[in-house]
Amino acid sequence: MKKLSFIAVALLATTSVNAEIIKIPTQSGFSGFVIGGVGTLEYKSNMYKGPNDDNDRHAGLFNSPESHSSVTPIFGADLRYTFAETRTQLFLGNLIQDAVRFDFTQQLGVRQQMGDKGIVALAYVFPLLPADTWSDPYAEGNRHETDMKSGGGRLAWDQIWGTHFNTSFTMRKFDISEERSGQSLGLSSAQRDMLDRNGTTSDVALSYDWIFTPGHVLRPELVYSKGSFDGSAMSYDKTQILLSHGYNNSQWSLVSNIYLGQMSYDEVNPIFGDKADSDEFGISASFFWHRLFDVKGLNGLISASYRKSDSDINFYDASIRSINTGLVYHF
């Protein structure tokens, strides 16, 4: 969908202290981490609606969005329970593969070690918090909010056949309670139908974990996404290239990510007479200080992130900046 997933952007700090696939422990029991903290968020978007927004009016259909800022709480968890004898793990939380793309999808599922053939996972994916959006984001008066529900499934295979390659397929369905895009502009019924944001997205990802020196992991990743919405002007093809680097030693860790994306829409937007094709760029870094206050498992963190989406239509331009600090407890 043509918007950035800002709702839980502070969770970028939940990325693991390295970029490797999370291995299944050799002992049964719970593992994972919890996080809490605070961050500052500055964003520009005509399509996104924050939890406490004051942007119920946009700056005009042919203008780029205005800037908004807020203080945002950081909270989250990655919880796992392992059955060591069967090499099975149940999990709930957010993974680095999603956070790199500013996608804070939560997963509830199961992972199974298949001997030397890798780890296969099946999960239900859902948003961290209930989401709202604008019923008609193009309305020039006070815009009204509506519920947006989403959910789907993911199938993943990590360390394929004992290599460092990983792949996943994710499908999500989006359902907007009161989808009224373009209703305020006097468009025809056929034109309004082209703006319908209900539908599905499908993502196929392929990555490789390169451990080139002790403590260093480099992960390149290629993602192809297809948005199939009821509105043909909202449907798209998207290609993303990501590069993550993780460094870890006994005292501190650093995770840095860079993201490039290109989105191509199926049809011309009936409001603007052009396609909303866009180029996207994102960068982030998270610094962890281990054994904070000499407490085992307690980490301090500072993270910063920036993402920009430059569309051929000014109305769809978007950007976000965040700086976060907090505590992470691993167990």
Side-chain angles (χ1 to χ4, degrees), residues 307-319:
R307 176 168 172 173
K308 180 179 176 64
S309 177
D310 187 10
S311 174
D312 290 346
I313 297 174
N314 290 339
F315 185 85
Y316 291 118
D317 287 344
S319 67

Side-chain angles (χ1 to χ4, degrees), residues 88-118:
T88 305
Q89 186 180 69
L90 306 178
F91 64 95
L92 171 65
N94 179 253
L95 298 179
I96 186 173
Q97 295 94 321
D98 294 320
V100 171
R101 294 191 295 273
F102 291 74
D103 177 356
F104 301 98
T105 298
Q106 303 297 294
Q107 297 190 71
L108 173 63
V110 59
R111 305 172 77 220
Q112 179 65 52
Q113 180 79 50
M114 307 295 291
D116 60 358
K117 298 178 178 62

Side-chain angles (χ1 to χ4, degrees), residues 234-311:
M234 297 289 99
S235 299
Y236 62 79
D237 293 276
K238 184 176 182 179
T239 303
Q240 305 166 77
I241 299 174
L242 309 97
L243 186 63
S244 306
H245 173 259
Y247 173 71
N248 182 39
N249 63 37
S250 60
Q251 186 58 73
W252 59 273
S253 301
L254 178 67
V255 178
S256 54
N257 311 299
I258 188 169
Y259 159 94
L260 297 173
Q262 190 170 59
M263 184 179 289
S264 177
Y265 283 82
D266 291 358
E267 298 288 347
V268 169
N269 189 294
I271 298 174
F272 304 99
D274 196 2
K275 290 185 178 182
D277 296 351
S278 63
D279 296 318
E280 298 182 356
F281 168 78
I283 189 170
S284 69
S286 298
F287 177 81
F288 299 81
W289 187 262
H290 307 320
R291 293 189 66 95
L292 190 65
F293 309 125
D294 204 30
V295 176
K296 182 180 179 180
L298 185 63
N299 305 275
L301 73 88
I302 298 175
S303 70
S305 63
Y306 172 76
R307 176 168 172 173
K308 180 179 176 64
S309 177
D310 187 10
S311 174

Side-chain angles (χ1 to χ4, degrees), residues 119-135:
I119 300 173
V120 175
L122 180 64
Y124 170 68
V125 296
F126 58 97
L128 174 66
L129 298 172
D132 292 331
T133 188
W134 302 115
S135 177

